[in-house]
Structures are given as structure tokens and as C-alpha cells.
Amino acid sequence: MNQRTKVLGMGAVAALLVAVGLLRFTDTGQVSPQPGSAPPSTSAVVPATSGVAPVIPSTVAGAPVPPPAPVAPSDAELESLAAALRERYGAKLDEPSVQIRLIEELMRFFQQRSPDRWREELLAFVKAYFPERYDALEAMLRNRVDYEKWVRDNDSYLRGLSGPERRAATWDARNRLFGKETAERIWASELKNQALADTLRSLEAREDLSLEKKLSTLKQRIQEVHGAQADAYMARHQQEVMNHFLDLSSVQTELGAMTAQERSRSLRTVRREMGLDEEALKRWDTLDQSRDARWDSGAKYMAERQTLAKELSGEALEERLAEVRARYFGAEASTIAQEEASGFYRFERPRQWGRN
């Protein structure tokens, strides 16, 4: 028996472990159900399952019969897994957010291999292949499982809270279980995203600020939150940030009050400040013009439609509308007819400047 197999065997005990569905940290720092696990209850607290040690039968001579050894992954498979994990995480294992990703990858692996003994075998693997990190990773696993249990047990309570109250309760649990500094490092992305969301919310309420000033304030806040990584963040989330800004109702109101030329210049400024190059700006200019023409045709069509609806009905109305739709929309006329048959009138939607 080689040393690793021996280490894995040492974990065998005759006890049922707590069985709960695992959650996974997403990129925004939230937790979500792991594939194959039951989703948290929306109506009641989900109690933790407690295990009871089974009675081990005895031989005639009175010696206990050992429980059967679990079927463990082969040494070659464990070696391959350890090598891959070292390459992916090894240089950054001082960072709590990296430790949690390593732990969660191991949780998925060992839960699939040994659902009843995954925790023992996971820790045995860590002890064999990451001995210098054993204490930190064991603590991270323990806190990770405890946090998941807290989320499940408090699901109904959390759903009944307002957004700010839910965030406060969640952070209180994270700080208590992981420690404040470690929790903030694990959920750093969530904190940054929340800071920008709060900034957008505050800008929405500032009727005294112009579009240009709101844009400048948002860019400054991105720089404060992301520091040296601000440019890299914008490169990855350029469209997302731009859409969030243009979706502000105060920004839409200001754009709607402009002339077509003023609006075109303002949209170009927003996109340029978000980092778009000249070629991209030209493509957006073309798209804006196409959208403007489309909405202009839509407004004219709806006006004719209303006039015809006052004069005609039934098949006579539909025949005339088919002619009008074909005149304004060409090949897309049949699609618009199907939408209207289902009760959807696309040109009754509000115009979102720079968005539709």
C-alpha cells in the first residue's frame, strides 16, 4: 500500500455525514445551487440533516468487522488532479478567493466520486498533495460549508428582507464565519459591483447634474473602485457599463429633450468616454441612424393604422393594414403582423435612446 492510498484509507469512519446541496460562488460573488443539488426552499427553513453512527456487527470472536473501504480514485487520477490544481492555483494560494475556488473544485470532484465520504477524502487529498496549505484549506472548507448551511437555513428569512437589509444580514454572516478581512477578499468583486450600482442609483436621483457631469462622475468612481485595474475592467465590461448608464431614466429624459443632432453628439461622447475607438463610433453612428429611420417609419405606420381602424374593420381593415405594413417595413411586414396578432405593438414601446 503506497503512502497516498494509506492516507486516504485513514479517513474511513462509520458515520453518516451531514448531507446538504452545495452552493458555488459566482463571478459576482454570490452563491448559487450546484448542479444536482436541490434548490433552497422558498417557504421554510431547510433543517440540516444530522447523521447517526451505524451499529458495526461483530464476529464470533467479538472483533468488530471494519466497514467496507470506499472506492477511491486511482493514484494516477489523483496525481493528475493535483498537478492541474497546482498549475492553476499554486502561485496564488495565499489569496482567500483562490483558496475558495480550489476548495470548491475539490468539493465537486469528491462529491461525485464519494457522496457519503467526500469531506474526509477531500481533506486526505489536501494533506497528501498540499500539506503546507492543509490548515488554511481545512479552515476554508469548514467555513465554506458552514456559510452554505447558514444560507439554506435562513432562506425564508432572507427572502423577506429588503435589498439593503438582506445585504447587511449576509455580510454579517460572512464576517462572522470567515473574518471581515477574509470575507472582503473573497467577495471583492461583489463589493466593487455594489459600489458602482450605488453610484448609478445616486446619479439617477441627481436632477441637477447634466449628462456629461453624470458620465464624468461614473468614470471617476470606476477609477476609485478598481484603481490600477480600471482600464482592464472597462475593457471587459465596456458595453455593460455603457448600457447601465444609458438606462438611467434621467439620462433618457435628457436625451429625449435634445434635437437629433445634439442627441447624436451626446451619444457619441458617452461611447467615446467608455473607450470605444473611432471605427466603433462610426458603426454606432450608422446604427443610430438606422434606428431613427425605423422609429420614424413606425410612428407614421401607427398613425395610419389608427386612422384606418376608425374607418374599417374585419377583413377590410386587415387587407389595408397589410398594404401599409408592406410599404413601411418591406420583408419584415409579416413579422410585425404576427406580433400584432399576438397583441404586441413594438412601436408603442418607449424609445430608449442609444439602446433600441
Side-chain angles (χ1 to χ4, degrees):
M1 180 181 297
N2 61 37
Q3 182 60 29
R4 279 185 211 90
T5 305
K6 182 177 180 180
V7 171
L8 289 172
M10 290 171 60
V13 294
L16 296 178
L17 301 177
V18 174
V20 291
L22 287 178
L23 302 177
R24 175 173 61 85
F25 290 94
T26 65
D27 293 340
T28 59
Q30 302 294 328
V31 290
S32 60
Q34 190 69 359
S37 63
S41 168
T42 59
S43 60
V45 172
V46 179
T49 304
S50 60
V52 180
V55 177
I56 301 176
S58 300
T59 63
V60 175
V65 176
V71 177
S74 68
D75 283 355
E77 190 173 17
L78 294 179
E79 289 280 5
S80 178
L81 175 63
L85 294 176
R86 286 196 194 97
E87 181 177 358
R88 189 175 306 135
Y89 302 117
K92 300 178 181 179
L93 272 177
D94 286 331
E95 177 56 46
S97 62
V98 176
Q99 293 175 5
I100 204 75
R101 291 202 298 272
L102 170 64
I103 285 296
E104 290 185 333
E105 189 161 340
L106 289 174
M107 288 167 73
R108 289 190 291 273
F109 178 86
F110 284 104
Q111 283 176 330
Q112 182 179 7
R113 296 286 180 168
S114 184
D116 294 332
R117 302 175 60 82
W118 67 267
R119 189 166 180 172
E120 288 179 62
E121 294 188 11
L122 186 158
L123 291 174
F125 174 88
V126 170
K127 199 168 197 62
Y129 293 100
F130 294 89
E132 73 286 0
R133 302 285 184 180
Y134 180 82
D135 290 343
L137 294 176
E138 188 276 335
M140 187 64 73
L141 173 64
R142 182 174 64 253
N143 295 336
R144 170 67 176 77
V145 172
D146 287 347
Y147 176 64
E148 174 227 336
K149 181 179 182 299
W150 180 86
V151 171
R152 288 174 61 85
D153 288 353
N154 291 276
D155 176 70
S156 295
Y157 167 71
L158 293 171
R159 288 174 182 271
L161 300 178
S162 66
E165 291 172 336
R166 184 163 49 251
R167 284 196 299 274
T170 299
W171 274 103
D172 179 70
R174 292 170 177 176
N175 294 339
R176 174 169 45 82
L177 291 169
F178 293 88
K180 188 174 186 299
E181 180 181 354
T182 297
E184 289 178 352
R185 290 168 70 179
I186 291 174
W187 283 278
S189 294
E190 180 182 327
L191 286 172
K192 292 174 181 178
N193 290 341
Q194 188 60 52
L196 295 184
D198 291 342
T199 298
L200 286 166
R201 190 177 298 108
S202 67
L203 290 176
E204 176 72 297
R206 293 292 302 275
E207 297 181 358
D208 58 315
L209 296 182
S210 67
L211 183 150
E212 288 78 10
K213 182 59 177 176
K214 289 179 179 180
L215 181 60
S216 173
T217 301
L218 177 60
K219 287 189 63 182
Q220 180 181 351
R221 186 59 175 145
I222 290 173
Q223 187 66 50
E224 293 170 352
V225 169
H226 291 277
Q229 300 300 314
D231 289 343
Y233 172 82
M234 283 303 302
R236 293 193 306 271
H237 302 279
Q238 188 179 73
Q239 188 68 45
E240 178 185 353
V241 174
M242 184 167 65
N243 288 347
H244 283 316
F245 180 76
L246 291 175
D247 283 343
L248 295 178
S249 61
S250 59
V251 170
Q252 285 294 315
T253 298
E254 187 170 350
L255 288 170
M258 296 177 182
T259 66
Q261 290 182 336
E262 291 172 338
R263 185 162 49 248
S264 179
R265 286 195 296 269
S266 292
L267 287 172
R268 213 172 205 273
T269 296
V270 170
R271 292 161 180 158
R272 185 176 58 249
E273 291 298 313
M274 291 294 174
L276 274 66
D277 59 25
E278 187 62 27
E279 288 301 315
L281 292 174
K282 290 178 180 178
R283 290 194 296 271
W284 274 106
D285 289 343
T286 300
L287 179 59
D288 285 340
Q289 292 168 9
S290 174
R291 285 170 168 172
D292 288 346
R294 181 181 180 79
W295 278 91
D296 183 59
S297 294
K300 292 176 180 178
Y301 163 70
M302 291 302 292
E304 285 196 43
R305 193 183 198 288
Q306 291 172 3
T307 299
L308 289 171
K310 294 177 182 178
E311 302 171 352
L312 303 171
S313 63
E315 292 184 5
L317 173 61
E318 185 52 41
E319 288 178 4
R320 289 294 302 277
L321 287 178
E323 296 174 2
V324 176
R325 282 192 292 262
R327 174 158 39 94
Y328 281 113
F329 306 115
E332 199 177 9
S334 61
T335 300
I336 292 178
Q338 291 173 5
E339 291 176 351
E340 292 181 354
S342 69
F344 174 71
Y345 297 85
R346 65 171 65 182
F347 298 108
E348 289 184 345
R349 295 177 301 160
R351 179 75 191 270
Q352 293 289 104
W353 303 105
R355 297 284 279 126
N356 66 12

